[in-house]
Amino acid sequence: MGKVEDERAFFSEAWVEPPKKEVAPVEKPHYHGHRDRLRERFLAGGPDALPDYELLELLLFRLIPRVDTKPIAKALIARFGSLAEVLGAPASLLEEVKGIGPTVATDLKVIAATAQRMARGEVRGREVLSNWTQLLDYCRSAMAFEAREQFRILFLDKKNGLIADEVQQTGTVDHTPVYPREVVKRALELSASAIILVHNHPSGDPTPSRADIDMTKQIIDTAKPLGIAVHDHIIIGRKGNASMKGLLLI
């Protein structure tokens, strides 16, 4: 028994409890404070208080919650040029930017579609000619950053209220086939008294081409005998817009 007791005493005295490891405090990522400050600036000064890349950051906060989105926002602006052009870019091109996967690209396109729907709501059912700025804003949001030409027609009633807004044709990067008889046929189907023609120039320059002018005059000549007025033909580009009526081309 003495030997056993000696061994127990030896191991009891020899045992030393290992020191407890100190747990370092968990630090929040550096961008958390930045996000809070950006939100505060937005709430205090509104959207005009933030440049495009910071407004884009605010969008990306929710879409990419655990990543510093500032470099991603800056990369998107550098690639496409502006917030409007980012939202107007095809999802496939958005995904080429580091940090943007298919889900985020789709979410950005949903945001763009929502903005377009809001702009359309400002125009629909109202007297279009007295809300010209809102009309241009809507057309720009819908068409300015499309990669291919679109030919859009706004159909108006006797009071110049918007009956319908339709994309009649989609073409290539620099041409859209337009058939005057089809334009007038659709106006008659909708009982429209007037129309506004709109198409985009993917090149960015809204200057009307000779073909644009000739096609517009053909539509006017076809529509006039049937009592349908062509109020204007607007060309939308990234660099602005052009009104054929304002340029005295029709």
Side-chain angles (χ1 to χ4, degrees):
M1 290 295 293
K3 183 178 180 182
V4 173
E5 289 176 357
D6 289 343
E7 288 178 349
R8 286 177 179 172
F10 172 78
F11 285 110
S12 175
E13 291 173 0
W15 169 255
V16 178
E17 185 175 352
K20 295 181 179 179
K21 292 183 179 180
E22 293 185 6
V23 180
V26 178
E27 294 184 5
K28 290 183 178 181
H30 69 279
Y31 53 81
H32 277 209
H34 171 67
R35 290 186 172 193
D36 293 338
R37 289 189 296 273
L38 207 55
R39 291 190 185 99
E40 289 170 2
R41 284 174 53 204
F42 176 80
L43 292 173
D48 290 339
L50 304 178
D52 277 6
Y53 84 88
E54 288 187 333
L55 200 56
L56 183 54
E57 272 193 85
L58 284 176
L59 292 177
L60 295 175
F61 286 171
R62 296 290 182 182
L63 305 182
I64 316 175
R66 290 179 294 278
V67 174
D68 182 4
T69 58
K70 184 175 182 177
I72 300 174
K74 284 190 170 184
L76 286 166
I77 298 296
R79 171 70 184 274
F80 298 105
S82 68
L83 176 58
E85 288 172 292
V86 170
L87 295 179
S92 58
L93 294 184
L94 291 172
E95 290 178 37
E96 292 179 4
V97 176
K98 185 177 180 180
I100 301 296
T103 300
V104 175
T106 300
D107 288 343
L108 288 173
K109 298 309 298 180
V110 170
I111 293 168
T114 302
Q116 290 177 17
R117 192 70 59 86
M118 289 176 64
R120 184 190 300 175
E122 293 294 321
V123 175
R124 186 174 294 278
R126 301 189 181 186
E127 205 279 299
V128 169
L129 299 184
S130 65
N131 293 278
W132 198 249
T133 300
Q134 290 180 336
L135 174 66
L136 292 177
D137 287 345
Y138 164 61
C139 292
R140 181 171 169 77
S141 69
M143 304 176 70
F145 308 108
E146 288 290 332
R148 297 188 295 169
E149 278 199 9
Q150 288 184 350
F151 184 75
R152 182 182 297 266
I153 308 173
L154 308 180
F155 298 94
L156 310 179
D157 59 23
K158 291 180 180 179
K159 296 182 179 180
N160 289 320
L162 184 64
I163 299 173
D165 160 28
E166 297 180 355
V167 176
Q168 191 185 62
Q169 297 287 341
T170 298
T172 62
V173 294
D174 59 2
H175 175 69
T176 305
V178 178
Y179 306 100
R181 290 184 181 180
E182 292 300 319
V183 173
V184 174
K185 177 184 176 183
R186 184 57 177 155
L188 291 172
E189 290 173 349
L190 294 171
S191 300
S193 299
I195 59 176
I196 296 175
L197 311 175
V198 190
H199 85 277
N200 63 310
H201 280 180
S203 67
D205 182 2
T207 304
S209 67
R210 184 74 252 174
D212 293 336
I213 298 168
D214 292 343
M215 175 264 292
T216 305
K217 289 181 176 179
Q218 290 175 18
I219 294 175
I220 292 173
D221 292 342
T222 305
K224 188 174 181 179
L226 298 173
I228 301 170
V230 178
H231 284 326
D232 206 344
H233 187 166
I234 303 168
I235 301 176
I236 302 292
R238 290 187 181 91
K239 300 176 183 178
N241 53 267
S243 160
M244 286 198 187
K245 186 173 183 179
L247 294 171
L248 303 180
L249 296 174
I250 58 174

mmCIF file of all heavy atoms in Angstrom, residues 56-57 59-67 69 72-73 76 86-87 89-112:
data_model
loop_
_atom_site.group_PDB
_atom_site.id
_atom_site.type_symbol
_atom_site.label_atom_id
_atom_site.label_comp_id
_atom_site.label_asym_id
_atom_site.label_seq_id
_atom_site.Cartn_x
_atom_site.Cartn_y
_atom_site.Cartn_z
ATOM 1 N N LEU A 56 -24.382 52.710 -55.591
ATOM 2 C CA LEU A 56 -24.311 51.304 -55.989
ATOM 3 C C LEU A 56 -23.862 50.439 -54.815
ATOM 4 O O LEU A 56 -24.352 49.317 -54.640
ATOM 5 C CB LEU A 56 -23.355 51.156 -57.172
ATOM 6 C CG LEU A 56 -23.203 49.763 -57.782
ATOM 7 C CD1 LEU A 56 -24.544 49.181 -58.171
ATOM 8 C CD2 LEU A 56 -22.277 49.824 -58.994
ATOM 9 N N GLU A 57 -22.940 50.954 -54.009
ATOM 10 C CA GLU A 57 -22.527 50.233 -52.801
ATOM 11 C C GLU A 57 -23.726 49.922 -51.914
ATOM 12 O O GLU A 57 -23.856 48.814 -51.372
ATOM 13 C CB GLU A 57 -21.532 51.075 -51.992
ATOM 14 C CG GLU A 57 -20.079 50.909 -52.351
ATOM 15 C CD GLU A 57 -19.201 51.541 -51.300
ATOM 16 O OE1 GLU A 57 -18.903 50.864 -50.299
ATOM 17 O OE2 GLU A 57 -18.816 52.725 -51.467
ATOM 18 N N LEU A 59 -26.762 49.480 -52.720
ATOM 19 C CA LEU A 59 -27.517 48.371 -53.299
ATOM 20 C C LEU A 59 -26.833 47.035 -53.023
ATOM 21 O O LEU A 59 -27.483 46.044 -52.696
ATOM 22 C CB LEU A 59 -27.654 48.563 -54.814
ATOM 23 C CG LEU A 59 -28.522 49.709 -55.317
ATOM 24 C CD1 LEU A 59 -28.475 49.771 -56.832
ATOM 25 C CD2 LEU A 59 -29.956 49.553 -54.844
ATOM 26 N N LEU A 60 -25.504 47.045 -53.155
ATOM 27 C CA LEU A 60 -24.759 45.792 -53.012
ATOM 28 C C LEU A 60 -24.668 45.322 -51.566
ATOM 29 O O LEU A 60 -24.389 44.140 -51.322
ATOM 30 C CB LEU A 60 -23.355 45.949 -53.603
ATOM 31 C CG LEU A 60 -23.284 46.192 -55.113
ATOM 32 C CD1 LEU A 60 -21.841 46.454 -55.538
ATOM 33 C CD2 LEU A 60 -23.847 44.998 -55.886
ATOM 34 N N PHE A 61 -24.875 46.226 -50.587
ATOM 35 C CA PHE A 61 -24.810 45.827 -49.170
ATOM 36 C C PHE A 61 -25.722 44.637 -48.903
ATOM 37 O O PHE A 61 -25.346 43.682 -48.212
ATOM 38 C CB PHE A 61 -25.240 46.978 -48.255
ATOM 39 C CG PHE A 61 -24.219 48.077 -48.130
ATOM 40 C CD1 PHE A 61 -24.551 49.267 -47.497
ATOM 41 C CD2 PHE A 61 -22.943 47.943 -48.635
ATOM 42 C CE1 PHE A 61 -23.620 50.289 -47.374
ATOM 43 C CE2 PHE A 61 -22.011 48.955 -48.521
ATOM 44 C CZ PHE A 61 -22.357 50.133 -47.881
ATOM 45 N N ARG A 62 -26.951 44.709 -49.401
ATOM 46 C CA ARG A 62 -27.929 43.646 -49.156
ATOM 47 C C ARG A 62 -27.696 42.438 -50.051
ATOM 48 O O ARG A 62 -27.989 41.309 -49.669
ATOM 49 C CB ARG A 62 -29.345 44.179 -49.392
ATOM 50 C CG ARG A 62 -29.760 45.285 -48.443
ATOM 51 C CD ARG A 62 -29.960 44.771 -47.046
ATOM 52 N NE ARG A 62 -30.404 45.801 -46.128
ATOM 53 C CZ ARG A 62 -30.608 45.599 -44.831
ATOM 54 N NH1 ARG A 62 -30.421 44.393 -44.317
ATOM 55 N NH2 ARG A 62 -30.997 46.585 -44.040
ATOM 56 N N LEU A 63 -27.177 42.690 -51.243
ATOM 57 C CA LEU A 63 -26.981 41.594 -52.194
ATOM 58 C C LEU A 63 -25.747 40.759 -51.859
ATOM 59 O O LEU A 63 -25.708 39.555 -52.116
ATOM 60 C CB LEU A 63 -26.851 42.146 -53.617
ATOM 61 C CG LEU A 63 -27.996 43.054 -54.107
ATOM 62 C CD1 LEU A 63 -27.748 43.470 -55.550
ATOM 63 C CD2 LEU A 63 -29.332 42.371 -53.961
ATOM 64 N N ILE A 64 -24.718 41.425 -51.290
ATOM 65 C CA ILE A 64 -23.482 40.723 -50.913
ATOM 66 C C ILE A 64 -23.176 41.117 -49.469
ATOM 67 O O ILE A 64 -22.354 42.002 -49.207
ATOM 68 C CB ILE A 64 -22.304 41.118 -51.830
ATOM 69 C CG1 ILE A 64 -22.752 41.139 -53.299
ATOM 70 C CG2 ILE A 64 -21.136 40.174 -51.661
ATOM 71 C CD1 ILE A 64 -21.692 41.626 -54.259
ATOM 72 N N PRO A 65 -23.816 40.475 -48.479
ATOM 73 C CA PRO A 65 -23.789 40.988 -47.095
ATOM 74 C C PRO A 65 -22.465 40.882 -46.350
ATOM 75 O O PRO A 65 -22.214 41.669 -45.458
ATOM 76 C CB PRO A 65 -24.870 40.143 -46.406
ATOM 77 C CG PRO A 65 -24.979 38.894 -47.227
ATOM 78 C CD PRO A 65 -24.690 39.314 -48.640
ATOM 79 N N ARG A 66 -21.579 39.971 -46.660
ATOM 80 C CA ARG A 66 -20.379 39.759 -45.842
ATOM 81 C C ARG A 66 -19.094 40.040 -46.617
ATOM 82 O O ARG A 66 -18.069 39.399 -46.400
ATOM 83 C CB ARG A 66 -20.373 38.330 -45.284
ATOM 84 C CG ARG A 66 -21.445 38.109 -44.218
ATOM 85 C CD ARG A 66 -21.447 36.693 -43.708
ATOM 86 N NE ARG A 66 -21.837 35.750 -44.751
ATOM 87 C CZ ARG A 66 -23.097 35.501 -45.077
ATOM 88 N NH1 ARG A 66 -24.079 36.136 -44.457
ATOM 89 N NH2 ARG A 66 -23.381 34.630 -46.028
ATOM 90 N N VAL A 67 -19.157 40.982 -47.516
ATOM 91 C CA VAL A 67 -18.009 41.325 -48.351
ATOM 92 C C VAL A 67 -17.904 42.848 -48.436
ATOM 93 O O VAL A 67 -18.908 43.552 -48.407
ATOM 94 C CB VAL A 67 -18.174 40.722 -49.772
ATOM 95 C CG1 VAL A 67 -17.067 41.198 -50.697
ATOM 96 C CG2 VAL A 67 -18.184 39.198 -49.708
ATOM 97 N N THR A 69 -17.992 45.771 -50.379
ATOM 98 C CA THR A 69 -18.550 45.983 -51.717
ATOM 99 C C THR A 69 -18.014 47.237 -52.415
ATOM 100 O O THR A 69 -18.318 47.465 -53.582
ATOM 101 C CB THR A 69 -20.084 46.075 -51.651
ATOM 102 O OG1 THR A 69 -20.453 47.156 -50.775
ATOM 103 C CG2 THR A 69 -20.694 44.780 -51.150
ATOM 104 N N ILE A 72 -16.005 46.443 -55.512
ATOM 105 C CA ILE A 72 -16.881 45.863 -56.541
ATOM 106 C C ILE A 72 -17.683 46.966 -57.223
ATOM 107 O O ILE A 72 -17.806 46.998 -58.448
ATOM 108 C CB ILE A 72 -17.827 44.809 -55.921
ATOM 109 C CG1 ILE A 72 -17.028 43.682 -55.270
ATOM 110 C CG2 ILE A 72 -18.780 44.259 -56.977
ATOM 111 C CD1 ILE A 72 -17.879 42.678 -54.510
ATOM 112 N N ALA A 73 -18.216 47.894 -56.413
ATOM 113 C CA ALA A 73 -18.978 49.008 -56.978
ATOM 114 C C ALA A 73 -18.107 49.854 -57.897
ATOM 115 O O ALA A 73 -18.523 50.242 -59.001
ATOM 116 C CB ALA A 73 -19.560 49.873 -55.855
ATOM 117 N N LEU A 76 -17.494 48.079 -61.195
ATOM 118 C CA LEU A 76 -18.667 48.127 -62.071
ATOM 119 C C LEU A 76 -18.774 49.478 -62.781
ATOM 120 O O LEU A 76 -19.037 49.548 -63.984
ATOM 121 C CB LEU A 76 -19.941 47.859 -61.265
ATOM 122 C CG LEU A 76 -20.177 46.407 -60.831
ATOM 123 C CD1 LEU A 76 -21.256 46.330 -59.768
ATOM 124 C CD2 LEU A 76 -20.560 45.546 -62.036
ATOM 125 N N VAL A 86 -24.675 50.529 -65.460
ATOM 126 C CA VAL A 86 -24.519 49.256 -64.738
ATOM 127 C C VAL A 86 -25.851 48.512 -64.725
ATOM 128 O O VAL A 86 -25.925 47.320 -65.042
ATOM 129 C CB VAL A 86 -24.022 49.491 -63.293
ATOM 130 C CG1 VAL A 86 -24.106 48.199 -62.478
ATOM 131 C CG2 VAL A 86 -22.587 50.007 -63.290
ATOM 132 N N LEU A 87 -26.917 49.219 -64.346
ATOM 133 C CA LEU A 87 -28.232 48.579 -64.262
ATOM 134 C C LEU A 87 -28.752 48.197 -65.649
ATOM 135 O O LEU A 87 -29.521 47.253 -65.797
ATOM 136 C CB LEU A 87 -29.228 49.505 -63.564
ATOM 137 C CG LEU A 87 -28.923 49.810 -62.091
ATOM 138 C CD1 LEU A 87 -29.967 50.757 -61.510
ATOM 139 C CD2 LEU A 87 -28.852 48.533 -61.258
ATOM 140 N N ALA A 89 -26.810 47.181 -68.143
ATOM 141 C CA ALA A 89 -25.925 46.204 -68.784
ATOM 142 C C ALA A 89 -26.534 44.801 -68.748
ATOM 143 O O ALA A 89 -27.237 44.443 -67.798
ATOM 144 C CB ALA A 89 -24.563 46.190 -68.087
ATOM 145 N N PRO A 90 -26.270 43.986 -69.763
ATOM 146 C CA PRO A 90 -26.743 42.592 -69.747
ATOM 147 C C PRO A 90 -26.138 41.821 -68.576
ATOM 148 O O PRO A 90 -24.995 42.088 -68.171
ATOM 149 C CB PRO A 90 -26.250 42.039 -71.088
ATOM 150 C CG PRO A 90 -25.981 43.236 -71.939
ATOM 151 C CD PRO A 90 -25.560 44.324 -71.006
ATOM 152 N N ALA A 91 -26.888 40.884 -68.047
ATOM 153 C CA ALA A 91 -26.423 40.093 -66.905
ATOM 154 C C ALA A 91 -25.110 39.376 -67.224
ATOM 155 O O ALA A 91 -24.233 39.247 -66.366
ATOM 156 C CB ALA A 91 -27.497 39.085 -66.492
ATOM 157 N N SER A 92 -24.958 38.920 -68.471
ATOM 158 C CA SER A 92 -23.748 38.186 -68.846
ATOM 159 C C SER A 92 -22.506 39.060 -68.712
ATOM 160 O O SER A 92 -21.438 38.579 -68.324
ATOM 161 C CB SER A 92 -23.865 37.660 -70.275
ATOM 162 O OG SER A 92 -24.078 38.735 -71.186
ATOM 163 N N LEU A 93 -22.630 40.357 -69.022
ATOM 164 C CA LEU A 93 -21.486 41.257 -68.890
ATOM 165 C C LEU A 93 -21.246 41.632 -67.426
ATOM 166 O O LEU A 93 -20.097 41.800 -67.011
ATOM 167 C CB LEU A 93 -21.712 42.522 -69.727
ATOM 168 C CG LEU A 93 -21.752 42.331 -71.244
ATOM 169 C CD1 LEU A 93 -21.893 43.671 -71.946
ATOM 170 C CD2 LEU A 93 -20.511 41.599 -71.742
ATOM 171 N N LEU A 94 -22.306 41.763 -66.653
ATOM 172 C CA LEU A 94 -22.143 42.051 -65.225
ATOM 173 C C LEU A 94 -21.341 40.947 -64.549
ATOM 174 O O LEU A 94 -20.496 41.208 -63.691
ATOM 175 C CB LEU A 94 -23.519 42.183 -64.552
ATOM 176 C CG LEU A 94 -24.359 43.403 -64.929
ATOM 177 C CD1 LEU A 94 -25.762 43.288 -64.331
ATOM 178 C CD2 LEU A 94 -23.697 44.688 -64.457
ATOM 179 N N GLU A 95 -21.582 39.715 -64.950
ATOM 180 C CA GLU A 95 -20.908 38.569 -64.337
ATOM 181 C C GLU A 95 -19.417 38.519 -64.656
ATOM 182 O O GLU A 95 -18.669 37.794 -63.998
ATOM 183 C CB GLU A 95 -21.577 37.273 -64.782
ATOM 184 C CG GLU A 95 -22.971 37.077 -64.204
ATOM 185 C CD GLU A 95 -23.622 35.807 -64.711
ATOM 186 O OE1 GLU A 95 -22.895 34.799 -64.873
ATOM 187 O OE2 GLU A 95 -24.834 35.820 -64.966
ATOM 188 N N GLU A 96 -18.981 39.303 -65.639
ATOM 189 C CA GLU A 96 -17.557 39.342 -65.959
ATOM 190 C C GLU A 96 -16.767 40.176 -64.958
ATOM 191 O O GLU A 96 -15.540 40.109 -64.933
ATOM 192 C CB GLU A 96 -17.365 39.915 -67.371
ATOM 193 C CG GLU A 96 -17.885 38.990 -68.475
ATOM 194 C CD GLU A 96 -17.700 39.586 -69.853
ATOM 195 O OE1 GLU A 96 -17.105 40.678 -69.948
ATOM 196 O OE2 GLU A 96 -18.145 38.965 -70.837
ATOM 197 N N VAL A 97 -17.459 40.948 -64.123
ATOM 198 C CA VAL A 97 -16.803 41.760 -63.100
ATOM 199 C C VAL A 97 -16.582 40.906 -61.860
ATOM 200 O O VAL A 97 -17.507 40.241 -61.380
ATOM 201 C CB VAL A 97 -17.648 43.001 -62.752
ATOM 202 C CG1 VAL A 97 -17.015 43.800 -61.609
ATOM 203 C CG2 VAL A 97 -17.809 43.878 -63.984
ATOM 204 N N LYS A 98 -15.363 40.905 -61.334
ATOM 205 C CA LYS A 98 -15.031 40.094 -60.169
ATOM 206 C C LYS A 98 -15.935 40.448 -58.989
ATOM 207 O O LYS A 98 -16.084 41.615 -58.642
ATOM 208 C CB LYS A 98 -13.565 40.305 -59.769
ATOM 209 C CG LYS A 98 -13.093 39.411 -58.636
ATOM 210 C CD LYS A 98 -11.624 39.630 -58.343
ATOM 211 C CE LYS A 98 -11.151 38.736 -57.200
ATOM 212 N NZ LYS A 98 -9.724 38.943 -56.894
ATOM 213 N N GLY A 99 -16.533 39.429 -58.382
ATOM 214 C CA GLY A 99 -17.414 39.641 -57.239
ATOM 215 C C GLY A 99 -18.881 39.588 -57.597
ATOM 216 O O GLY A 99 -19.742 39.546 -56.709
ATOM 217 N N ILE A 100 -19.199 39.594 -58.900
ATOM 218 C CA ILE A 100 -20.590 39.536 -59.349
ATOM 219 C C ILE A 100 -20.868 38.161 -59.938
ATOM 220 O O ILE A 100 -20.325 37.798 -60.992
ATOM 221 C CB ILE A 100 -20.883 40.620 -60.405
ATOM 222 C CG1 ILE A 100 -20.604 42.006 -59.854
ATOM 223 C CG2 ILE A 100 -22.327 40.516 -60.885
ATOM 224 C CD1 ILE A 100 -21.493 42.428 -58.697
ATOM 225 N N GLY A 101 -21.687 37.400 -59.241
ATOM 226 C CA GLY A 101 -22.089 36.088 -59.737
ATOM 227 C C GLY A 101 -23.470 36.156 -60.358
ATOM 228 O O GLY A 101 -24.096 37.220 -60.422
ATOM 229 N N PRO A 102 -23.990 35.017 -60.819
ATOM 230 C CA PRO A 102 -25.305 34.997 -61.481
ATOM 231 C C PRO A 102 -26.435 35.542 -60.613
ATOM 232 O O PRO A 102 -27.317 36.250 -61.112
ATOM 233 C CB PRO A 102 -25.515 33.508 -61.791
ATOM 234 C CG PRO A 102 -24.144 32.931 -61.826
ATOM 235 C CD PRO A 102 -23.340 33.694 -60.824
ATOM 236 N N THR A 103 -26.416 35.231 -59.305
ATOM 237 C CA THR A 103 -27.493 35.691 -58.432
ATOM 238 C C THR A 103 -27.495 37.200 -58.286
ATOM 239 O O THR A 103 -28.546 37.858 -58.396
ATOM 240 C CB THR A 103 -27.367 35.037 -57.036
ATOM 241 O OG1 THR A 103 -27.436 33.616 -57.173
ATOM 242 C CG2 THR A 103 -28.488 35.501 -56.124
ATOM 243 N N VAL A 104 -26.319 37.774 -58.048
ATOM 244 C CA VAL A 104 -26.232 39.237 -57.888
ATOM 245 C C VAL A 104 -26.566 39.929 -59.203
ATOM 246 O O VAL A 104 -27.247 40.962 -59.216
ATOM 247 C CB VAL A 104 -24.837 39.649 -57.392
ATOM 248 C CG1 VAL A 104 -24.700 41.164 -57.334
ATOM 249 C CG2 VAL A 104 -24.576 39.051 -56.010
ATOM 250 N N ALA A 105 -26.097 39.389 -60.318
ATOM 251 C CA ALA A 105 -26.405 39.976 -61.625
ATOM 252 C C ALA A 105 -27.912 39.998 -61.860
ATOM 253 O O ALA A 105 -28.466 40.998 -62.329
ATOM 254 C CB ALA A 105 -25.703 39.196 -62.731
ATOM 255 N N THR A 106 -28.583 38.903 -61.508
ATOM 256 C CA THR A 106 -30.034 38.842 -61.657
ATOM 257 C C THR A 106 -30.717 39.858 -60.745
ATOM 258 O O THR A 106 -31.672 40.538 -61.149
ATOM 259 C CB THR A 106 -30.552 37.428 -61.338
ATOM 260 O OG1 THR A 106 -29.948 36.494 -62.243
ATOM 261 C CG2 THR A 106 -32.062 37.355 -61.476
ATOM 262 N N ASP A 107 -30.229 39.977 -59.513
ATOM 263 C CA ASP A 107 -30.809 40.946 -58.577
ATOM 264 C C ASP A 107 -30.679 42.374 -59.105
ATOM 265 O O ASP A 107 -31.595 43.191 -58.976
ATOM 266 C CB ASP A 107 -30.130 40.837 -57.209
ATOM 267 C CG ASP A 107 -30.526 39.576 -56.459
ATOM 268 O OD1 ASP A 107 -31.545 38.962 -56.835
ATOM 269 O OD2 ASP A 107 -29.823 39.203 -55.506
ATOM 270 N N LEU A 108 -29.545 42.698 -59.713
ATOM 271 C CA LEU A 108 -29.358 44.034 -60.291
ATOM 272 C C LEU A 108 -30.331 44.261 -61.447
ATOM 273 O O LEU A 108 -30.851 45.372 -61.619
ATOM 274 C CB LEU A 108 -27.918 44.210 -60.757
ATOM 275 C CG LEU A 108 -26.869 44.356 -59.645
ATOM 276 C CD1 LEU A 108 -25.458 44.350 -60.244
ATOM 277 C CD2 LEU A 108 -27.080 45.635 -58.838
ATOM 278 N N LYS A 109 -30.590 43.235 -62.238
ATOM 279 C CA LYS A 109 -31.544 43.381 -63.333
ATOM 280 C C LYS A 109 -32.968 43.535 -62.808
ATOM 281 O O LYS A 109 -33.791 44.238 -63.415
ATOM 282 C CB LYS A 109 -31.465 42.175 -64.281
ATOM 283 C CG LYS A 109 -30.120 41.985 -64.975
ATOM 284 C CD LYS A 109 -29.636 43.252 -65.645
ATOM 285 C CE LYS A 109 -30.547 43.743 -66.744
ATOM 286 N NZ LYS A 109 -30.053 44.993 -67.372
ATOM 287 N N VAL A 110 -33.276 42.900 -61.673
ATOM 288 C CA VAL A 110 -34.599 43.086 -61.054
ATOM 289 C C VAL A 110 -34.763 44.529 -60.581
ATOM 290 O O VAL A 110 -35.819 45.150 -60.751
ATOM 291 C CB VAL A 110 -34.788 42.107 -59.874
ATOM 292 C CG1 VAL A 110 -36.039 42.456 -59.071
ATOM 293 C CG2 VAL A 110 -34.882 40.672 -60.381
ATOM 294 N N ILE A 111 -33.705 45.076 -59.986
ATOM 295 C CA ILE A 111 -33.731 46.480 -59.558
ATOM 296 C C ILE A 111 -33.939 47.393 -60.753
ATOM 297 O O ILE A 111 -34.724 48.354 -60.706
ATOM 298 C CB ILE A 111 -32.438 46.832 -58.805
ATOM 299 C CG1 ILE A 111 -32.372 46.082 -57.476
ATOM 300 C CG2 ILE A 111 -32.334 48.337 -58.558
ATOM 301 C CD1 ILE A 111 -31.021 46.128 -56.800
ATOM 302 N N ALA A 112 -33.260 47.115 -61.859
ATOM 303 C CA ALA A 112 -33.412 47.920 -63.069
ATOM 304 C C ALA A 112 -34.841 47.847 -63.602
ATOM 305 O O ALA A 112 -35.421 48.869 -64.000
ATOM 306 C CB ALA A 112 -32.427 47.442 -64.137
#
